[in-house]
Amino acid sequence: MRRISYRDALREALREEMLRDERVFLLGEDIGRYWGGAFKVTKGLAEEFGEERVRDTPISESAIIGVAIGAAITGMRPVAEIMFGDLTALAMDQIANQAAKLRYMFGGQISVPLVIRTPFGGGVNIAAHHSQSLEAWFMHVPGLHVAAPSTPYDAKGLLKTAIRSENPVVFCEHKLLYPVEGEVPEEDYMIPFGTATIRREGTDITIVATLYMVHKALNAAKTLEKEEGINVEVVDPRTLVPLDKKTIIESVKKTGRVVVVSEDCKTAGVTAEISAIIAEEAIDYLDAPIKRVAAMDTPIPFSPPLENFVIPDENRIIRAVKEIV
Amino acid sequence: MRRISYRDALREALREEMLRDERVFLLGEDIGRYWGGAFKVTKGLAEEFGEERVRDTPISESAIIGVAIGAAITGMRPVAEIMFGDLTALAMDQIANQAAKLRYMFGGQISVPLVIRTPFGGGVNIAAHHSQSLEAWFMHVPGLHVAAPSTPYDAKGLLKTAIRSENPVVFCEHKLLYPVEGEVPEEDYMIPFGTATIRREGTDITIVATLYMVHKALNAAKTLEKEEGINVEVVDPRTLVPLDKKTIIESVKKTGRVVVVSEDCKTAGVTAEISAIIAEEAIDYLDAPIKRVAAMDTPIPFSPPLENFVIPDENRIIRAVKEIV
Amino acid sequence: MTYSKWGSTMIDVSREKLVEMYRKMLEIRYFEEKVFELYGQNLVPGTIHLYAGQEAVAVGVCSALRKEDYITSTHRGHGHCIAKGADLKRVMAEILGRKTGYCKGKGGSMHIADFSIGMLGATAVVGAGLPIATGAALSVKLQKTSQVVACFFGDGASNQGTFHESLNMAAIWKLPILFVCENNLYAMGTSQSRVMLIENIADRAAAYGMVGTTIDGNDVLAVYQTAREAVERARKGEGPTLIECKTYRHKGHSRMDPAKYRPKEEVEEWLKKDPIKRFQDRLFEMNVLTEDEKGEIERAVIAEVEEAVKFALESPYPSPEEALEDVYA
Amino acid sequence: MTYSKWGSTMIDVSREKLVEMYRKMLEIRYFEEKVFELYGQNLVPGTIHLYAGQEAVAVGVCSALRKEDYITSTHRGHGHCIAKGADLKRVMAEILGRKTGYCKGKGGSMHIADFSIGMLGATAVVGAGLPIATGAALSVKLQKTSQVVACFFGDGASNQGTFHESLNMAAIWKLPILFVCENNLYAMGTSQSRVMLIENIADRAAAYGMVGTTIDGNDVLAVYQTAREAVERARKGEGPTLIECKTYRHKGHSRMDPAKYRPKEEVEEWLKKDPIKRFQDRLFEMNVLTEDEKGEIERAVIAEVEEAVKFALESPYPSPEEALEDVYA
Ligand SMILES: Cc1ncc(C[n+]2csc(CCOP(=O)(O)OP(=O)(O)O)c2C)c(N)n1
Ligand SMILES: Cc1ncc(C[n+]2csc(CCOP(=O)(O)OP(=O)(O)O)c2C)c(N)n1
Ligand SMILES: [Mg+2]
Ligand SMILES: [Mg+2]
């Protein structure tokens, strides 16, 4: 099968959905012809679809989301880009209090078919205001769906599902994934939300990992296999809300051990929720504590040695596995 | 000892700190002489300290926090009030990206001695935009401390500690607690952050509960004792960051069973973090799954029967306990 | 370009329309009085923010709109709903938390919506409705319908960042929207003069290259006429307008607020400018209305409000499990 | 009240001060050229936003300030630091992620601060510095010192909600602050004209009852003079000023941005208006500077920048565990 990058996979999803449904339009800062998006995901789309449908905005994150909501509840299907995930903080009221709640508050009269695309994650040395992973904030807000694709295939399939969904979706991308290549079929496909995938089968221990950490977990698994003979299963939830608890729990039941890995800060983060679910629903199958590997509880520092220390790497994953196997 | 309300205890803390340290000042919407704060916590303070130090602001939550930050890093000790906890979403960038991170980003050159007081919680039928409990958002942000007092005594002692702290503190109050009375000494005292308290000793099971849920947990414990002979220990962390893991874990080690109770939504909430810590650090002592009792994953609905269903009550706590004892 | 102040120069409105406007204003007034009464009887959960005194704004603006046009509303939203044509029964049922309410009891007083009449709902976060309304206007533009949007908000809301961001976006994209600032001089206990130096909020329009105008918000005809012109411009693709309506709420901000922060003379002066009384006198003057007709309308409105109360009080509460519905589509 | 445009009318500035201003501008320029070079050599982690071309703004404003006065800065902040008197060595070390940098390598190019000289730091969230600067001004007022605050931000930032909220608060409280909008005509690839209808951002001041003025931001004397007047008013308790400086960045927005969105003629025209060249010519004209002195200054500045590079390159990186420090006090 042909291989394309995560970035190109996202762009294909946007393009195909725009061709399929003229209600779909994009808005965000510098997503148009003059820049093509800070990470070039939307490059070329303004040229193809025009500036009305690929709409550059002022630097006004609150209004970007608010405007997208207003469009979504009146018949359009906006895909808003927030240039960096950290900046969702500026639009938090519109995301968490408006987009997530309008349908409910209004007794189901309308839906809010809105996608908010935004890149999270560190690793490119752009410090505390451009490197966070904030998925957990959105997981905590009922009414939102949260997607977190780790491969080009998933990026495309999940983004299509997100755009066709009637619910507001926070679509979490990762800066380091944009250039990553993988197999993506030519034909149309969608990936249903709430379906995890097993990236690697194993019998000794389960690693649940998300976004860029999936790749680090797979590397760690290889090393563990080779050097320690530990046979690791890697589960990638793909969407955090809805979360495919079943696949996670079945894997844990099989292996009896689990490490949960995510790039966001440890406290009250993605790993907390997944751990808590396992502790609530599968504790009897566990032969060891539930380990969490996450970013240290610090802002993301600028200097490479500091940033590398804070963000989980293969070694931390390996150490965590070895502590409980 | 004399008994005063939570509201009055907070006001005393503010007043005494303002008398003690002239750098302390308050700002927020309608906290001054014309209203005294939406929940009357600051009533009378503008009259006593003047409008410069008890400063009414425009409806501009972002700027309220930003202005407080600017004052905090230049020698003042602001206490900002956000009228409803839900509205912290409007100031999320200033809270999470600025207040929490400035010290770190600037290599420790300064501290940010800022207190953000805000009421969370439901129970008064004011629906989805005025009833949330969002403590978990702030727990997930390194650089912030998060206080959550459940009694007048703690409210006063923790608020004093918060005001004298060099760190930004999100000080979570609860609407239903304001009228609640309890013993508060006349003399000055402070409660160190990171010290949980055992509200009720017990041997059969631990309930970790926060804010208003502490009271529901205590009621549930009474009923369980009387009707089922189950002897419940109730632990109140009092501050969520720093969290007194030691007290929680010791209690769990003693009882072997735990239910974590909080009013925020279940997914990725306060209960997730506390469960995850126990699952990581004390799983060997557990004789049962770690149960969570939290608000349903819905926005808070308006109508009383709906709201009562969504927010945890004594019965849900009792049921959870009985499931694992 | 700014509008001049019309005062109440006579305009081309049919007799029926004038009477209809009058009736709507009465509906709002009686409805709100009833809500206040029910609140006193502990029948209204939560809090309430009454619209009484501001009727000319909602009715003036909504009378210039078509059914398919959109409005967005605020915590003080009963009047906007009624003016746009909502069913009093379902508004009242919502306020009382009943299953038959517009939002099945999930929204309550601060979150009423009726999408079937273009009422896109109320948000209780002050200022949060502005970008949403702006988005609805963008939607209309993209879909090339000829709808327009009227976005209601208060003087206090105009200090929120969303005001700035929304007006700017609406201006640069020439969106068909009316930003209707209901300047009732206070945001809770905070008088306008303590939180902004300018006297007329409409002057902020200039910061966005937008048309802005300040009018007497207690003169329903002035509001109607201004809105009509703004709607016309909007439909022609000439962009948004900021309309500041000076008005006054008769009651306190919410619930039992005694509103002691307002000078007695100020309250008295504004009560004299009661928009309903003024419009009524005008209609008498113009021979559009007779005392008999007035009495008839009043009786009809009172009956309608009573019917709404009866409907609401007889309606069941939602059952608890319904709380789990409508989170996701 | 608004200022008139001075052009570059001569003002009472000592020869030493003029030369010092010239030198600071050169420091910034050479510093930025060096950073660009180092970036090309892969010695600068992350991204960079160069200040070259805008020197007259930082230097003009900071020359009107005292050491104890405060400034706040942005992602494009090197120039602000240097103009306020930061040590080039420690700025460079920070940009290169070294332990000896102002922030021990934790902040990097976008987050430099030096509280010892009143530089309250840069935020990389566009517009986030405005309320913080406003708070510093409130602090000054409450502490009754005579300090003032200068808050730098871009044209793009002026569309953020925080701009609106901050200017309004500063105005109502008459805070001693200069809001210095560096209008370099673009926010990334977005030209001002595509995101606002007004030509002069300073016109937004009127929305807050604030003094606003638009000036030639490439004329350091005009900037200085305007800032001096605003500082004077601020110190006298007469409140804030919005100063819009029209200027231009010589390079792309960041890193390797080729800035193709800017018309070639526009770039050329602005390069002709290079603030350093203009000031230099002016100084020659005024006989403040001779070619010899110029050469001497240049050599000194180049040496200083080289020394900064050497210092930075020889400085160690922080050790990984230091990442855990400074989260809490
Ligand atoms: C963002 C936000 N801040 C504060 C509140 C609390 N609050 C509710 S109504 C109100 C006053 C609003 O004033 P204004 O916009 O003038 O509307 P009015 O009540 O006068 O109609 C406030 C402060 C809120 N709901 N939302
Ligand atoms: C709130 C926010 N939105 C977007 C960005 C990404 N970004 C960084 S700089 C920039 C442009 C800023 O333009 P302007 O304020 O004019 O400053 P300039 O870069 O021209 O100096 C953008 C969009 C950001 N850092 N913060
Ligand atoms: Mg008002
Ligand atoms: Mg710019």
Side-chain angles (χ1 to χ4, degrees):
Chain A
M1 206 188 293
R2 96 197 148 121
R3 292 176 66 83
I4 62 173
S5 71
Y6 187 91
R7 172 188 288 120
D8 291 345
L10 290 167
R11 187 184 311 112
E12 279 192 5
L14 294 172
R15 182 170 175 275
E16 289 170 22
E17 292 304 299
M18 290 180 80
L19 287 170
R20 190 188 55 80
D21 183 348
E22 62 176 23
R23 297 170 305 169
V24 177
F25 75 102
L26 319 182
L27 74 169
E29 294 160 16
D30 260 318
I31 62 168
R33 69 174 71 240
Y34 301 92
W35 204 285
F39 295 93
K40 308 293 179 200
V41 172
T42 52
K43 193 161 181 227
L45 296 179
E47 289 83 337
E48 180 170 359
F49 296 100
E51 298 189 358
E52 288 282 299
R53 287 184 73 194
V54 181
R55 186 169 285 267
D56 277 342
T57 67
I59 305 178
S60 307
E61 280 76 9
S62 260
I64 290 170
I65 302 302
V67 161
I69 294 168
I73 59 174
T74 54
M76 298 298 290
R77 303 189 82 85
V79 181
E81 175 177 300
I82 296 293
M83 195 183 284
F84 289 89
D86 314 68
L87 309 174
T88 58
L90 288 158
M92 206 58 187
D93 176 66
Q94 290 295 328
I95 300 172
N97 288 336
Q98 314 304 329
K101 295 182 173 52
L102 291 190
R103 175 181 174 76
Y104 189 84
M105 294 193 311
F106 300 156
Q109 285 182 60
I110 38 107
S111 58
V112 186
L114 157 66
V115 180
I116 301 170
R117 288 185 40 245
T118 198
F120 285 115
V124 293
N125 312 124
I126 46 177
H129 283 165
H130 288 84
S131 306
Q132 290 168 89
S133 297
L134 297 168
E135 303 91 291
W137 279 358
F138 304 104
M139 291 172 69
H140 191 48
V141 181
L144 299 178
H145 278 168
V146 181
S150 69
T151 66
Y153 179 85
D154 286 359
K156 184 168 178 184
L158 290 171
L159 185 50
K160 287 196 157 209
T161 307
I163 293 172
R164 297 190 207 177
S165 162
E166 290 300 322
N167 296 305
V169 178
V170 178
F171 195 88
C172 308
E173 303 169 5
H174 191 291
K175 293 174 199 82
L176 292 180
L177 287 173
Y178 288 123
V180 168
E181 298 198 343
E183 293 193 338
V184 175
E186 310 263 358
E187 61 278 10
D188 189 38
Y189 67 98
M190 309 210 333
I191 299 173
F193 278 24
T195 58
T197 190
I198 296 180
R199 294 266 172 229
R200 182 186 205 277
E201 304 230 7
T203 49
D204 296 336
I205 186 167
T206 300
I207 296 181
V208 182
T210 69
L211 284 163
Y212 195 62
M213 288 297 138
V214 171
H215 302 272
K216 294 194 181 179
L218 288 169
N219 288 342
K222 261 188 234 154
T223 306
L224 284 162
E225 180 91 64
K226 208 167 60 190
E227 294 181 5
E228 314 280 337
I230 298 173
N231 190 222
V232 180
E233 175 144 311
V234 177
V235 180
D236 176 355
R238 307 205 285 192
T239 59
L240 299 171
V241 179
L243 183 71
D244 181 356
K245 294 203 254 181
K246 193 160 154 282
T247 300
I248 294 171
I249 284 173
E250 271 168 18
S251 174
V252 171
K253 285 185 179 174
K254 182 173 76 173
T255 62
R257 289 165 211 277
V258 61
V259 176
V260 188
V261 188
S262 172
E263 189 176 321
D264 64 333
C265 289
K266 183 171 182 179
T267 298
V270 172
T271 60
E273 176 59 23
I274 295 175
S275 287
I277 289 171
I278 298 167
E280 192 158 16
E281 303 186 18
I283 205 163
D284 292 342
Y285 299 87
L286 287 175
D287 301 317
I290 304 172
K291 280 271 163 198
R292 293 191 276 168
V293 176
M296 309 264 174
D297 284 321
T298 76
I300 306 295
F302 164 67
S303 188
L306 302 177
E307 184 176 25
N308 294 340
F309 182 74
V310 163
I311 294 178
D313 60 9
E314 283 82 350
N315 288 332
R316 272 173 64 198
I317 300 174
I318 290 170
R319 275 204 306 278
V321 167
K322 281 163 59 177
E323 276 175 46
I324 56 168
V325 176
Chain B
M1 207 188 292
R2 95 197 148 122
R3 293 175 66 83
I4 62 173
S5 71
Y6 187 90
R7 171 187 291 122
D8 291 344
L10 291 167
R11 187 184 311 115
E12 279 192 5
L14 293 172
R15 182 171 175 274
E16 289 171 20
E17 291 305 299
M18 290 180 80
L19 286 170
R20 190 188 56 78
D21 183 348
E22 63 177 22
R23 297 169 306 168
V24 177
F25 75 102
L26 319 183
L27 73 170
E29 294 160 15
D30 260 319
I31 62 168
R33 69 175 70 240
Y34 301 92
W35 203 284
F39 294 93
K40 307 292 178 200
V41 172
T42 53
K43 193 161 180 227
L45 296 178
E47 289 83 338
E48 181 169 359
F49 295 100
E51 297 189 356
E52 287 283 300
R53 287 183 74 194
V54 182
R55 187 169 283 267
D56 277 341
T57 67
I59 305 178
S60 308
E61 280 76 7
S62 261
I64 290 170
I65 302 302
V67 161
I69 294 168
I73 61 174
T74 54
M76 299 298 290
R77 303 189 81 86
V79 181
E81 176 177 300
I82 297 293
M83 196 184 283
F84 289 89
D86 314 67
L87 308 174
T88 58
L90 287 157
M92 206 59 187
D93 177 66
Q94 290 294 329
I95 300 172
N97 287 335
Q98 314 304 330
K101 295 181 173 52
L102 290 190
R103 175 181 175 76
Y104 189 83
M105 295 195 309
F106 300 155
Q109 286 182 59
I110 38 109
S111 58
V112 186
L114 157 66
V115 180
I116 301 169
R117 288 185 41 246
T118 199
F120 285 116
V124 293
N125 312 124
I126 47 178
H129 283 166
H130 288 83
S131 305
Q132 290 168 89
S133 297
L134 298 168
E135 304 91 290
W137 279 358
F138 304 104
M139 290 172 69
H140 192 47
V141 180
L144 299 178
H145 278 168
V146 182
S150 69
T151 66
Y153 179 85
D154 286 0
K156 183 169 179 184
L158 290 172
L159 185 50
K160 287 198 157 207
T161 306
I163 293 172
R164 296 190 206 177
S165 162
E166 290 299 321
N167 297 305
V169 178
V170 178
F171 196 89
C172 307
E173 303 170 3
H174 192 291
K175 294 174 198 82
L176 291 180
L177 287 173
Y178 289 123
V180 168
E181 299 198 343
E183 293 193 339
V184 175
E186 310 262 359
E187 61 278 10
D188 190 38
Y189 67 97
M190 306 205 344
I191 299 172
F193 277 23
T195 56
T197 190
I198 296 178
R199 295 265 171 229
R200 184 185 203 279
E201 305 229 6
T203 49
D204 297 335
I205 186 166
T206 301
I207 296 181
V208 183
T210 69
L211 285 163
Y212 196 62
M213 288 297 139
V214 171
H215 302 273
K216 294 194 182 179
L218 288 169
N219 287 341
K222 259 188 233 155
T223 307
L224 284 161
E225 180 91 66
K226 208 165 61 188
E227 294 180 5
E228 314 281 338
I230 299 172
N231 190 221
V232 180
E233 177 145 310
V234 176
V235 180
D236 176 355
R238 305 204 287 192
T239 59
L240 299 171
V241 179
L243 182 70
D244 181 356
K245 296 203 253 180
K246 193 159 155 282
T247 300
I248 294 171
I249 285 173
E250 271 169 19
S251 175
V252 171
K253 285 185 180 173
K254 182 173 75 172
T255 62
R257 292 166 209 276
V258 61
V259 175
V260 188
V261 187
S262 172
E263 190 176 321
D264 64 334
C265 290
K266 183 171 182 180
T267 297
V270 172
T271 60
E273 176 59 24
I274 296 175
S275 287
I277 289 172
I278 298 166
E280 192 159 17
E281 304 186 18
I283 205 163
D284 292 342
Y285 298 87
L286 287 176
D287 302 317
I290 305 173
K291 280 273 163 195
R292 295 191 275 167
V293 175
M296 310 264 174
D297 285 321
T298 75
I300 305 295
F302 163 67
S303 188
L306 302 177
E307 183 175 26
N308 294 340
F309 181 73
V310 162
I311 294 178
D313 62 8
E314 282 82 351
N315 288 330
R316 272 174 64 199
I317 300 173
I318 290 170
R319 273 205 307 278
V321 167
K322 280 161 65 175
E323 276 175 45
I324 57 168
V325 176
Chain C
M1 167 177 44
T2 42
Y3 290 111
S4 58
K5 264 192 170 178
W6 283 275
S8 271
T9 42
M10 197 37 212
I11 43 177
D12 56 323
V13 200
S14 69
R15 196 186 165 286
E16 290 68 36
K17 179 120 195 169
L18 290 170
V19 172
E20 178 55 27
M21 284 163 73
Y22 175 70
R23 190 199 154 102
K24 275 280 170 238
M25 290 172 74
L26 272 191
E27 273 182 29
I28 297 173
R29 178 66 56 88
Y30 286 134
F31 186 91
E32 292 296 62
E33 285 178 358
K34 203 72 203 179
V35 171
F36 189 74
E37 195 185 310
L38 295 172
Y39 194 87
Q41 297 164 5
N42 263 320
L43 286 165
V44 184
T47 187
I48 44 166
H49 305 84
L50 299 176
Y51 196 73
Q54 305 185 192
E55 293 89 347
V57 182
V59 172
V61 170
C62 291
S63 298
L65 301 178
R66 301 180 187 149
K67 187 180 171 197
E68 65 272 23
D69 290 331
Y70 294 132
I71 67 167
T72 65
S73 173
T74 69
H75 58 286
R76 197 178 301 290
H78 309 166
H80 307 139
C81 292
I82 296 172
K84 191 68 172 60
D87 179 351
L88 299 196
K89 292 200 289 295
R90 297 193 61 200
V91 177
M92 188 63 89
E94 187 59 37
I95 294 169
L96 267 53
R98 307 303 166 113
K99 192 179 159 71
T100 53
Y102 269 115
C103 309
K104 307 181 196 158
K106 288 201 167 89
S109 165
M110 292 195 280
H111 302 291
I112 305 178
D114 179 3
F115 279 71
S116 73
I117 56 164
M119 160 61 188
L120 304 182
T123 168
V125 176
V126 170
L130 282 97
I132 298 176
T134 304
L138 173 61
S139 191
V140 155
K141 195 181 178 204
L142 288 169
Q143 293 174 64
K144 298 193 176 59
T145 74
S146 61
Q147 288 156 287
V148 304
V149 181
C151 168
F152 294 98
F153 60 96
D155 46 294
S158 83
N159 289 325
Q160 277 284 14
T162 48
F163 170 91
H164 181 68
E165 298 184 2
S166 303
L167 268 73
N168 188 51
M169 273 196 202
I172 60 173
W173 295 339
K174 276 192 180 281
L175 300 182
I177 180 167
L178 281 59
F179 291 102
V180 182
C181 180
E182 305 192 71
N183 185 351
N184 59 12
L185 314 188
Y186 291 85
M188 287 184 55
T190 303
S191 69
Q192 181 198 340
S193 61
R194 293 198 293 124
V195 286
M196 57 183 94
L197 294 183
I198 57 172
E199 198 186 318
N200 292 326
I201 294 172
D203 291 351
R204 292 188 165 170
Y208 315 105
M210 188 187 292
V211 177
T213 180
T214 299
I215 59 172
D216 178 349
N218 278 15
D219 177 347
V220 70
L221 291 179
V223 176
Y224 172 67
Q225 172 75 350
T226 308
R228 224 173 57 165
E229 287 211 22
V231 165
E232 222 163 88
R233 292 183 46 255
R235 287 206 215 282
K236 279 196 287 191
E238 292 172 15
T241 310
L242 172 58
I243 303 172
E244 176 190 15
C245 303
K246 305 271 199 200
T247 184
Y248 208 71
R249 56 170 151 76
H250 283 179
K251 302 274 178 198
H253 167 71
S254 60
R255 291 192 291 188
M256 299 305 171
D257 167 28
K260 290 207 188 118
Y261 44 82
R262 305 196 301 192
K264 225 176 116 185
E265 311 74 53
E266 182 188 282
V267 178
E268 275 165 16
E269 191 195 314
W270 277 97
L271 287 178
K272 276 188 225 141
K273 291 192 268 188
D274 183 324
I276 296 183
K277 179 79 175 53
R278 274 171 70 189
F279 190 39
Q280 184 178 295
D281 290 349
R282 196 77 200 288
L283 294 178
F284 284 145
E285 220 175 274
M286 287 156 55
N287 292 320
V288 170
L289 195 70
T290 65
E291 274 291 352
D292 279 359
E293 286 164 330
K294 178 191 160 232
E296 213 171 293
I297 293 173
E298 276 175 354
R299 277 188 301 278
V301 167
I302 289 171
E304 201 190 345
V305 171
E306 286 302 337
E307 197 196 348
V309 174
K310 186 162 178 290
F311 171 82
L313 286 176
E314 287 175 357
S315 292
Y317 284 101
S319 60
E321 300 71 26
E322 287 175 44
L324 302 178
E325 293 166 12
D326 301 323
V327 181
Y328 294 97
Chain D
M1 169 176 41
T2 41
Y3 290 110
S4 57
K5 262 191 172 176
W6 282 275
S8 271
T9 41
M10 196 38 211
I11 43 175
D12 55 324
V13 201
S14 70
R15 195 186 167 286
E16 290 68 36
K17 180 119 193 167
L18 290 170
V19 172
E20 180 54 27
M21 283 162 74
Y22 175 69
R23 190 199 153 102
K24 276 279 169 240
M25 289 171 76
L26 273 190
E27 274 182 29
I28 297 172
R29 178 67 55 89
Y30 286 132
F31 186 91
E32 293 295 63
E33 285 177 358
K34 204 71 203 179
V35 171
F36 189 73
E37 196 184 309
L38 295 172
Y39 194 86
Q41 296 164 5
N42 264 322
L43 286 165
V44 183
T47 188
I48 45 166
H49 306 84
L50 298 176
Y51 197 73
Q54 305 185 191
E55 294 89 348
V57 181
V59 172
V61 170
C62 291
S63 298
L65 300 178
R66 300 179 188 150
K67 186 179 172 199
E68 66 272 21
D69 290 331
Y70 295 131
I71 66 167
T72 64
S73 174
T74 68
H75 58 286
R76 196 177 303 289
H78 309 165
H80 307 138
C81 292
I82 296 172
K84 191 66 172 61
D87 179 351
L88 299 196
K89 292 201 289 298
R90 298 191 62 200
V91 179
M92 190 62 90
E94 187 59 37
I95 294 170
L96 267 53
R98 308 303 167 113
K99 192 180 159 71
T100 53
Y102 269 114
C103 310
K104 307 182 198 159
K106 288 201 169 89
S109 165
M110 291 194 281
H111 302 290
I112 305 178
D114 179 3
F115 279 73
S116 73
I117 56 164
M119 160 61 188
L120 303 182
T123 168
V125 176
V126 170
L130 282 97
I132 298 176
T134 305
L138 174 61
S139 192
V140 154
K141 194 181 178 204
L142 288 169
Q143 292 174 63
K144 299 193 175 64
T145 74
S146 62
Q147 289 156 287
V148 304
V149 181
C151 169
F152 294 99
F153 60 96
D155 46 296
S158 83
N159 289 326
Q160 277 285 13
T162 48
F163 169 92
H164 181 67
E165 297 184 1
S166 302
L167 268 73
N168 188 51
M169 272 196 203
I172 59 172
W173 294 338
K174 277 192 179 280
L175 300 182
I177 180 166
L178 282 58
F179 290 102
V180 182
C181 181
E182 305 193 70
N183 185 351
N184 59 11
L185 314 189
Y186 292 85
M188 288 184 55
T190 302
S191 69
Q192 181 198 341
S193 61
R194 292 198 293 123
V195 286
M196 57 182 94
L197 294 184
I198 57 171
E199 198 187 316
N200 292 326
I201 295 172
D203 291 352
R204 290 188 167 170
Y208 315 104
M210 188 187 293
V211 177
T213 180
T214 299
I215 59 172
D216 178 349
N218 277 16
D219 177 346
V220 70
L221 292 179
V223 176
Y224 172 68
Q225 172 75 351
T226 308
R228 223 172 59 166
E229 288 211 19
V231 165
E232 222 162 89
R233 292 183 47 257
R235 286 207 216 281
K236 279 196 287 191
E238 291 172 16
T241 309
L242 172 59
I243 302 172
E244 177 191 14
C245 304
K246 304 270 198 202
T247 185
Y248 208 70
R249 55 170 151 76
H250 283 180
K251 303 274 179 197
H253 168 71
S254 61
R255 291 191 291 187
M256 299 307 173
D257 167 27
K260 290 208 188 118
Y261 45 81
R262 304 197 301 192
K264 226 176 114 183
E265 311 74 55
E266 182 188 283
V267 178
E268 274 164 18
E269 192 195 313
W270 276 96
L271 286 177
K272 277 189 224 140
K273 292 192 266 189
D274 183 324
I276 296 184
K277 180 78 177 51
R278 275 171 70 187
F279 190 36
Q280 186 179 291
D281 290 350
R282 196 75 201 288
L283 293 178
F284 283 146
E285 220 175 273
M286 289 157 52
N287 291 320
V288 169
L289 196 70
T290 64
E291 274 290 353
D292 279 359
E293 285 165 329
K294 177 187 164 238
E296 213 171 292
I297 293 173
E298 277 176 352
R299 279 188 299 279
V301 167
I302 288 171
E304 203 190 343
V305 170
E306 287 301 338
E307 197 196 345
V309 174
K310 186 161 177 291
F311 172 82
L313 287 175
E314 287 175 358
S315 292
Y317 284 101
S319 59
E321 299 71 26
E322 286 174 45
L324 302 178
E325 294 166 11
D326 301 322
V327 182
Y328 293 98

